[in-house]
Amino acid sequence: MPPPPATSAAVAAQHLESFLPRLTTLSHYKQFHARLLTSSRLHSDPFLRARFLDRLALSAHPAALPHALLLLRSLPSPATNDFNAAIRGLAASPHPARSLLLLAGRLLPSPSPPPPRLDALSLSFALKASARCSDGPTTLQLHALVVRLGCAPDVRLITTLVDSYAKCGDLASARKVFDEMIVRDVASWNALLAGLAQGTEPNLALALFHRLAGSFHELPPREAPNELTIIAALSACAQIGSLQDGLYVHEFARKIGFSSNVRVCNALIDMYSKCCSLGPALEVFHSIKREDRTLVSYNTAIQAVSMHGHGEDALRLFDEMPTCIEPDEVTYIAVLGGCNHAGLVDDGLRVFHGMRVPPNVKHYGAVVDLLGRAGRLAEAYDTIKSMPFPADIVLWQTLLGASKKHGDVELAELAATNLAELGSNVDGDYVLLSNVYASKARWSDVGRVRDTMRNNDVQKVPGFSYTEISGVMHKFINGDRDHPKWQEIYKALEGIVSRISELGYEPETSNVLHDIGEEEKQHALCYHSEKLAIAFGLIATPPGETLRVIKNLRICGDCHLVAKLISKAYGRVIVIRDRARFHRFEDGNCSCRDYW
């Protein structure tokens, strides 16, 4: 039988609904709202009303969401879908906490009419809001509601719960919820993988990925890895600098047909560059067809060359961006960083003054760093004072670092005072100021700063380095004797010092900012963590193999000199990733050209 003919009311509703995708301005939304009122459909057609509310609440127009909330409050008996549209809009807005307040209002007893009941969508949108707010206690309360309302079997909702716990930093709860899921899909795996990778457990993320990849052929189709799985795993590799794992993930991506996916390629560029392998990173970038490259592709490639000290290449990539791709805030941060690391002050200032987006505090911070590294401290300070908004902690820390580099005690004290007024109480502030005083042999001031540090219960973060040998990470701290081969490493160091002394090496004891004797200073320098990592790499790898070291702090001047001389004496390429940038040592030279 043919379907019954549609009624005139149904046809009218379909006609109205067809206008929804065409609503683009606030005037359009108000006209549509008026049409719903005059046709009585605002109350008689809850489905169309909810669709309109949803579109209105998610509109990019700044006045659209407030209008949606006014509409919601005008309804005598709003339905669950009406509230869900508002919760969803608020969760995606710049003020996601308001979504949680709206939800809380629905849970309170109220006079008639009773508030609409919550459903899985209500909780899902609220969980997204709590994730954006990093509100762990609220996520826990929402979890209780999920159980109380019997929504636990909803795979999508539980996946959102895993994601919310992970983004709130509660990785243990995220894992527990994931492990308790009876049915999982690839989104569940991706939520946990991304949470672990971007949180504090990248090694666990890789272990989970290996478990998933190892059972790939046994997985049901709903759990088969996709491009987001690959991206999460690559993010974990980038965070810990594990090239071996990165190569494995890349090969797995090839095997399942995602290695040409643009988003995967972008993640590969990031992974290779952060694993001290700029060449493969650029190979991946150039393998993407020009017409397929996205803004993220260019941003990631520019950031890669910038961090490796190739400022000219960063500028060239920036200039090569097609006109159809508009640079954003991230683009300019990356380009300014490249100019900063390469000492291209004039180019950096030209880029900054030619920005096509409003500069934010990070862009000003990059300019302060650019000028400060070049010794133009007065201009750096003037830049801070000329900003249209107050300077944050990072800006004053940048100026303090520049003052330390150039030995400007007065400016260092000014920066430290501003940091104290802003409530900064991290070890780096004290260490930098102490080092400025130590460089001028003002030991009483050094003692005063260290006493303040102790009184404020601030502990200095210990320096450590690690290197990957045959897929295994080896971690070293200064003066480390915990490594199983520490005696061999120390013996190797003795040989290294003897060999590079023939090339003119003399310990740069000025880098030891303590009031101790010359011999003690030389001993303190000898066993820095990066030297131990390099020495171990020399005895644990075949001749000619590139050594890669990752350090949590900035490399010191003596270690930088030693790495240059080792690269020449032993014919090795050594790549060190420190807190700020990459240094590639080859044949006695460094990619930073001693500007760092």
Side-chain angles (χ1 to χ4, degrees):
M1 287 182 61
T7 64
S8 57
V11 170
Q14 290 173 2
H15 178 67
L16 271 176
E17 191 176 344
S18 70
F19 281 100
L20 283 174
R22 303 183 221 172
L23 304 180
T24 56
T25 68
L26 187 61
S27 174
H28 289 167
Y29 287 115
K30 287 183 174 180
Q31 289 177 57
F32 193 89
H33 186 182
R35 182 64 183 271
L36 288 179
L37 282 168
T38 56
S39 65
S40 300
R41 294 198 177 278
L42 190 66
H43 302 294
S44 66
D45 192 338
F47 175 77
L48 180 59
R49 180 182 69 214
R51 287 282 312 278
F52 172 60
L53 257 173
D54 192 59
R55 189 165 186 88
L56 183 60
L58 291 173
S59 167
H61 194 286
L65 180 57
H67 190 83
L69 296 174
L70 282 172
L71 171 54
L72 179 68
R73 283 194 287 270
S74 73
L75 298 175
S77 300
T80 297
N81 286 342
D82 299 323
F83 267 102
N84 285 352
I87 292 172
R88 184 184 185 190
L90 287 167
S93 77
H95 307 287
R98 293 173 61 196
S99 175
L100 303 173
L101 291 173
L102 181 62
L103 181 79
R106 291 175 61 180
L107 298 173
L108 296 173
S110 65
S112 59
R117 64 183 294 276
L118 300 176
D119 63 8
L121 280 177
S122 317
L123 297 173
S124 178
F125 298 142
L127 283 167
K128 289 176 181 177
S130 65
R132 289 191 63 208
C133 297
S134 298
D135 189 344
T138 296
T139 296
L140 180 62
Q141 293 177 55
L142 290 169
H143 187 177
L145 275 173
V146 168
V147 175
R148 194 180 89 190
L149 296 176
C151 297
D154 189 317
V155 176
R156 289 187 179 181
L157 178 59
I158 300 304
T159 296
T160 306
L161 178 60
V162 171
D163 183 63
S164 186
Y165 270 129
K167 287 177 178 172
C168 292
D170 189 351
L171 298 179
S173 294
R175 288 176 59 195
K176 187 172 186 296
V177 172
F178 177 84
D179 289 338
E180 290 173 352
M181 292 180 73
I182 298 170
V183 177
R184 302 187 188 107
D185 59 15
V186 64
S188 315
W189 284 94
N190 291 347
L192 185 60
L193 273 170
L196 295 170
Q198 294 161 20
T200 57
E201 297 280 2
N203 286 300
L204 189 57
L206 286 173
L208 190 68
F209 176 79
H210 282 290
R211 170 181 152 194
L212 183 65
S215 58
F216 171 64
H217 295 294
E218 302 164 15
L219 292 171
R222 67 174 180 274
E223 294 186 51
N226 60 17
E227 70 270 20
L228 296 181
T229 319
I230 303 298
I231 290 167
L234 290 170
S235 172
C237 299
Q239 186 167 328
I240 62 175
S242 176
L243 181 61
Q244 201 74 18
D245 282 311
L247 291 167
Y248 175 84
V249 177
H250 192 174
E251 183 55 37
F252 183 76
R254 283 195 192 97
K255 190 166 81 172
I256 64 173
F258 285 111
S259 62
S260 297
N261 178 284
V262 175
R263 294 179 67 189
V264 170
C265 287
N266 296 340
L268 283 166
I269 296 166
D270 184 61
M271 180 276 294
Y272 276 122
S273 70
K274 289 178 179 173
C275 291
C276 311
S277 299
L278 181 61
L282 293 178
E283 285 176 18
V284 173
F285 174 75
H286 291 300
S287 74
I288 307 172
K289 293 178 182 176
R290 183 176 289 270
E291 62 270 20
D292 292 337
R293 293 175 190 165
T294 64
L295 175 61
V296 176
S297 307
Y298 279 97
N299 286 353
T300 311
I302 292 170
Q303 182 68 28
V305 294
S306 294
M307 289 296 291
H308 283 264
H310 300 286
E312 296 89 349
D313 292 336
L315 287 166
R316 186 169 63 253
L317 276 173
F318 176 66
D319 291 335
E320 287 176 0
M321 286 177 66
T323 53
C324 61
I325 297 179
E326 275 293 316
D328 65 359
E329 293 89 347
V330 177
T331 317
Y332 288 107
I333 288 290
V335 179
L336 288 169
C339 296
N340 187 356
H341 292 307
L344 304 174
V345 180
D346 292 337
D347 286 305
L349 292 174
R350 174 180 58 79
V351 169
F352 177 71
H353 292 302
M355 285 179 61
R356 300 204 293 270
V357 297
N360 60 35
V361 70
K362 291 184 178 179
H363 300 111
Y364 278 98
V367 172
V368 170
D369 200 15
L370 179 75
L371 293 167
R373 284 176 191 261
R376 293 161 65 168
L377 298 179
E379 292 175 73
Y381 178 67
D382 289 343
T383 300
I384 292 177
K385 301 308 289 182
S386 68
M387 292 193 315
F389 29 72
D392 64 4
I393 286 173
V394 175
L395 268 169
W396 289 114
Q397 287 172 336
T398 302
L399 188 65
L400 178 56
S403 304
K404 183 260 177 186
K405 176 179 173 66
H406 296 286
D408 191 322
V409 177
E410 184 179 348
L411 197 57
E413 290 175 333
L414 175 66
T417 299
N418 279 278
L419 285 168
E421 289 174 356
L422 289 170
S424 178
N425 195 39
V426 297
D427 67 306
D429 301 349
Y430 296 96
V431 171
L432 284 171
L433 183 59
S434 172
N435 289 349
V436 174
Y437 288 137
S439 67
K440 304 295 184 183
R442 291 172 54 170
W443 303 115
S444 61
D445 288 319
V446 170
R448 176 175 55 80
V449 172
R450 290 179 179 168
D451 287 341
T452 305
M453 197 171 173
R454 276 191 294 270
N455 293 337
N456 291 343
D457 197 27
V458 178
Q459 301 292 321
K460 182 180 177 182
V461 175
F464 64 81
S465 301
Y466 53 95
T467 186
E468 184 179 28
I469 306 294
S470 301
V472 178
M473 284 292 185
H474 297 264
K475 182 178 176 181
F476 300 90
I477 60 173
N478 292 349
D480 201 339
R481 295 194 175 200
D482 290 334
H483 194 277
K485 295 190 175 182
W486 73 268
Q487 290 176 314
E488 295 175 50
I489 294 169
Y490 275 50
K491 187 176 180 181
L493 261 179
E494 291 176 12
I496 290 169
V497 171
S498 173
R499 193 158 166 181
I500 63 176
S501 294
E502 297 173 7
L503 298 176
Y505 169 65
E506 291 184 8
E508 293 192 353
T509 53
S510 60
N511 288 284
V512 182
L513 300 173
H514 297 280
D515 190 13
I516 57 177
E518 191 70 15
E519 190 173 330
E520 292 173 284
K521 288 184 178 182
Q522 290 185 18
H523 185 270
L525 283 174
C526 189
Y527 302 109
H528 277 189
S529 63
E530 52 267 63
K531 290 191 179 84
L532 296 173
I534 293 171
F536 177 64
L538 287 174
I539 63 175
T541 60
E545 186 167 309
T546 297
L547 302 180
R548 296 177 174 87
V549 176
I550 296 177
K551 183 175 172 63
N552 68 322
L553 302 176
R554 190 169 177 267
I555 187 173
C556 81
D558 187 72
C559 290
H560 190 269
L561 173 62
V562 166
K564 285 201 298 183
L565 295 173
I566 290 174
S567 73
K568 184 173 183 66
Y570 290 82
R572 296 283 195 122
V573 173
I574 303 170
V575 185
I576 297 181
R577 164 181 153 186
D578 73 5
R579 186 181 62 186
R581 58 166 297 155
F582 289 83
H583 298 266
R584 179 186 171 89
F585 303 93
E586 185 172 10
D587 195 29
N589 298 303
C590 179
S591 58
C592 74
R593 303 186 185 106
D594 296 335
Y595 185 89
W596 50 284

